[in-house]
Amino acid sequence: MIQMSTFIAILLVALTTYCTRILGYVLLKNKTLSKRQRKILEVIPGCVLISMITPYFLRDDPADLIAIMSTLFAASRFGMLPTILISMASAAILRTLLV
Amino acid sequence: MPPFQPRITPSDATPLSEFQRGVKDCIPLLLGVIPLALVLGATAAQKDFSLLEVPLLTGLNFAGGSEFAVLEAWTDPPHLLTLIFITFLINSRYILLGASLVPYLRHLPNRKIFPALFFMVDESWALSLTDAQRRLAQFGYRYAFSLPYYAGLCIVLYLAWVGFTTLGALLGPVLGDINRFGFDMAFPAIMLVLLKGMWKGFTEARPWLISFICAALAYSYLPGNWYVLIGALAGIASAFWLIQEDEA
C-alpha cells in the first residue's frame, strides 16, 4: 500500500535530492576553468570526505578511538577490502573487550 | 603498499570490460552498504512505511544520509517543507561533488550526464573520480572518466541499496543492533582508503586539514549534521587562499 501523503513527500524529497546532484554540474558546466580553478576543484572531494568522517575521530568510547586509529593505519598500508575487514574486526573485538 | 587502486585500464578495454571493472571494484563496498540498508529499512518499517513505500523512497531518492534524516523527522501527516529543507542541507554536499566532476563530464551529451548524475552517491562518485584522476595522465580530460566503469559501480550500489532496504523493512524487528559487529566502521574505512588514493603530498592536503579542524569544531559545538557542510566549505575556502596562481 502507498499512502497519498507519503507518496507526495517521497516525490518532493527525491526531487530535492536530484536538484543537489545536478546543481553543481549545471552551474559550472559552461565556465572555462583555469588551471588553478581545476586544482581547487581537485581538492574539494577530499575536503568533503574528511568532513564526513570527522565524528569518528571524536568519539568518547576508547574502543571506537582505537578502532578508527587502526583503520587509519590499515588504510595507509592496504587496499580496500583488507582495510574494511581490519576496521570492522578491530571495532567488534575492542567493543567486546573494553566494556 | 597499494592504496585503493582501480584496476588499470588495459588498452583493449571495451565498454563491457569497463562495466565489469566497475562491478568488481564496487563489491567490497557492499560490506558497508548492506548493513546500513538493512538498518534503514528496519527504521522505516518502525515509522509505518509499507513494503512498497520503502523501495519507493530508497529507489527514487537513493541517498542514504538524507533518508535516515527524513525518517528521523517523519510525522504523520509529513511536514513537507521540513523534509525538503533537511534533505537539501544533508545532500548539499552533492553540489560540490557534481562541481568536481565538471572537467571530466562536460564534453558528454546531456542525455548521458543527467541520468548518470541521478545515481551519484558518495561511493560511486569517489571511486569513479579516483579512477578518472588516475587515468588523466594517460587519457586526458576527454577520456579520463569512464562512463561504463561508473555504470558498473552504480548498478551494484543501486540494486543493493533498494533491495536491502526493502529486506530490512521485512526483517526489521528480528535484526537488533548490528553495530556491535563493527559494521558501522566500514564507512570511515572506505573513506580513508579513498582519501589515501587522492593523496598527493602534504602541501596539496592542507585544505583537508582545515576541513578536519572545522568539521571537528562544528561537530562539537553545533547540533545536527552541520559539520559536513561547514568542514567542506572551510576547506574549499582555504584552498582559494592556499592554492595560488604560481603553484598552479
Side-chain angles (χ1 to χ4, degrees):
Chain A
M1 287 301 292
I2 298 178
Q3 262 188 34
M4 200 53 185
S5 62
T6 307
F7 182 68
I8 292 170
I10 289 176
L11 276 190
L12 288 173
V13 162
L15 194 67
T16 308
T17 300
Y18 187 61
C19 285
T20 62
R21 287 191 164 119
I22 60 171
L23 198 59
Y25 179 79
V26 170
L27 288 180
L28 287 186
K29 183 187 175 186
N30 292 318
K31 305 266 191 301
T32 315
L33 300 172
S34 70
K35 207 172 175 192
R36 171 168 176 262
Q37 286 167 326
R38 278 188 182 175
K39 275 206 136 184
I40 291 171
L41 274 187
E42 270 175 30
V43 122
I44 291 179
C47 291
V48 184
L49 286 190
I50 210 150
S51 301
M52 285 196 282
I53 59 169
T54 297
Y56 288 89
F57 291 89
L58 302 173
R59 296 225 180 138
D60 294 325
D61 190 343
D64 287 350
L65 287 177
I66 302 173
I68 191 71
M69 293 323 280
S70 6
T71 307
L72 185 61
F73 176 76
S76 70
R77 306 244 138 184
F78 309 116
M80 186 65 83
L81 193 57
T83 305
I84 295 176
L85 293 175
I86 290 171
S87 175
M88 285 173 43
S90 64
I93 293 166
L94 287 162
R95 281 172 194 168
T96 317
L97 293 180
L98 306 175
V99 176
Chain B
M1 39 179 260
F4 171 69
Q5 296 274 12
R7 270 154 254 269
I8 300 300
T9 315
S11 51
D12 59 346
T14 63
L16 181 63
S17 73
E18 283 293 282
F19 179 82
Q20 288 167 337
R21 189 168 69 90
V23 170
K24 277 182 195 152
D25 277 354
C26 198
I27 283 172
L29 304 193
L30 294 183
L31 270 174
V33 171
I34 290 174
L36 211 61
L38 291 172
V39 172
L40 185 93
T43 314
Q46 274 177 355
K47 300 273 175 178
D48 291 327
F49 272 61
S50 72
L51 274 182
L52 283 177
E53 288 163 344
V54 172
L56 193 70
L57 172 67
T58 59
L60 286 180
N61 186 59
F62 190 47
S66 60
E67 284 154 22
F68 274 106
V70 160
L71 292 176
E72 187 68 31
W74 191 259
T75 48
D76 192 16
H79 290 255
L80 298 178
L81 276 181
T82 310
L83 296 179
I84 290 173
F85 184 66
I86 291 175
T87 304
F88 185 81
L89 281 187
I90 294 196
N91 290 336
S92 54
R93 69 180 186 286
Y94 288 144
I95 300 175
L96 304 174
L97 306 193
S100 70
L101 288 176
V102 168
Y104 298 98
L105 294 185
R106 64 196 320 171
H107 59 276
L108 294 171
N110 284 344
R111 70 186 151 79
K112 287 187 178 171
I113 290 173
F114 287 108
L117 286 174
F118 173 83
F119 293 96
M120 183 180 71
V121 291
D122 300 329
E123 288 87 352
S124 59
W125 161 80
L127 257 70
S128 59
L129 190 66
T130 314
D131 181 59
Q133 287 177 347
R134 213 169 281 278
R135 286 158 50 100
L136 184 57
Q138 194 186 347
F139 295 94
Y141 275 104
R142 206 172 175 80
Y143 299 102
F145 190 91
S146 171
L147 208 53
Y149 175 74
Y150 176 79
L153 300 171
C154 288
I155 202 155
V156 173
L157 288 168
Y158 189 80
L159 292 179
W161 186 250
V162 178
F164 282 92
T165 48
T166 311
L167 191 65
L170 200 64
L171 299 176
V174 203
L175 280 170
D177 178 21
I178 56 171
N179 279 350
R180 66 179 187 277
F181 302 118
F183 279 110
D184 56 323
M185 289 299 290
F187 181 73
I190 293 166
M191 294 298 141
L192 284 172
V193 176
L194 293 173
L195 273 170
K196 167 77 183 167
M198 295 174 185
W199 180 265
K200 286 180 184 162
F202 183 74
T203 313
E204 285 79 1
R206 283 174 301 170
W208 297 0
L209 188 63
I210 304 285
S211 279
F212 179 74
I213 293 168
C214 293
L217 288 172
Y219 179 74
S220 306
Y221 297 109
L222 295 175
N225 280 315
W226 284 102
Y227 65 90
V228 177
L229 203 57
I230 290 177
L233 290 178
I236 294 160
S238 76
F240 279 92
W241 175 258
L242 292 167
I243 300 176
Q244 297 297 330
E245 209 65 64
D246 53 308
E247 291 179 42

